[in-house]
Amino acid sequence: MAVKDRDRFSTATRLRLLGEQTAARVYRSQTRRQARRSRLTGRAALLALVLCSLVVALAYPIRQYVSQRAEIAELEQRRDEARERVEQLRDLKARWQDDAYAEQQIRQRLHYVMPGETGYIVIDPDAAKQSRTTQGAADRPWYANVWDGVDKADAADR
């Protein structure tokens, strides 16, 4: 038994036991930490609640901001288009202030001629054929033309 007692109190045996005990403590502490980490703590839940409430509280103002920015962009585009239209109208007004341009437009649009000139109007042959077809309607009484118009409108709906 003396040999057993010596082995029990030998340095190697004591170191081995001490190592095993330390390993067991480390293993127990690691499993406790892992168990704690996997659980949701009160702080984490509070943080998640605060973040969710911030997202909900900011969602509507951010949506309003984005829609207002889009509306502002649309209004700026319409303003630019209006400015371009104003510039075009100013140019047109300046052109109409010129007597030569006004005379050209009067001749072209109203078929006016200067004294001593002879005016000619060239009629498109296709337009002349179309006017002949409408002459047939002029020979009939007006109520017949109205009734034909009603029939054509009714046929177009079908």
Side-chain angles (χ1 to χ4, degrees):
M1 286 229 188
V3 175
K4 274 189 167 182
D5 287 338
R6 255 190 285 158
D7 279 348
R8 187 171 148 198
F9 294 110
S10 72
T11 308
T13 305
R14 279 190 279 164
L15 285 176
R16 188 171 22 92
L17 278 172
L18 187 61
E20 289 173 1
Q21 290 171 354
T22 307
R25 277 190 230 132
V26 168
Y27 177 73
R28 276 184 284 172
S29 68
Q30 284 179 347
T31 55
R32 285 180 192 161
R33 275 191 234 145
Q34 288 173 351
R36 275 190 241 140
R37 286 183 190 161
S38 64
R39 285 188 247 146
L40 182 65
T41 64
R43 287 182 183 176
L46 183 63
L47 179 64
L49 180 66
V50 167
L51 288 176
C52 288
S53 64
L54 281 175
V55 167
V56 168
L58 293 177
Y60 183 73
I62 288 175
R63 188 179 69 129
Q64 289 294 334
Y65 174 77
V66 169
S67 67
Q68 287 175 359
R69 292 304 303 169
E71 185 179 351
I72 288 171
E74 180 186 345
L75 290 174
E76 287 175 349
Q77 180 184 3
R78 287 176 42 195
R79 179 194 64 196
D80 293 341
E81 291 172 357
R83 283 184 179 168
E84 289 177 15
R85 179 71 178 141
V86 166
E87 287 299 318
Q88 290 172 353
L89 291 174
R90 284 183 182 157
D91 291 344
L92 184 62
K93 180 182 175 184
R95 277 190 266 152
W96 276 100
Q97 298 297 324
D98 183 21
D99 291 336
Y101 180 79
E103 182 180 329
Q104 175 193 7
Q105 291 299 314
I106 290 170
R107 284 174 174 259
Q108 182 181 4
R109 293 180 185 190
L110 302 176
H111 305 291
Y112 279 26
V113 291
M114 296 298 284
E117 292 180 352
T118 305
Y120 294 99
I121 298 177
V122 179
I123 299 175
D124 186 24
D126 295 330
K129 289 178 186 175
Q130 291 174 355
S131 66
R132 287 184 197 147
T133 58
T134 58
Q135 283 179 350
D139 296 338
R140 299 185 302 173
W142 64 270
Y143 51 85
N145 292 335
V146 171
W147 194 252
D148 286 343
V150 170
D151 287 339
K152 287 179 185 175
D154 190 36
D157 287 344
R158 292 181 197 161

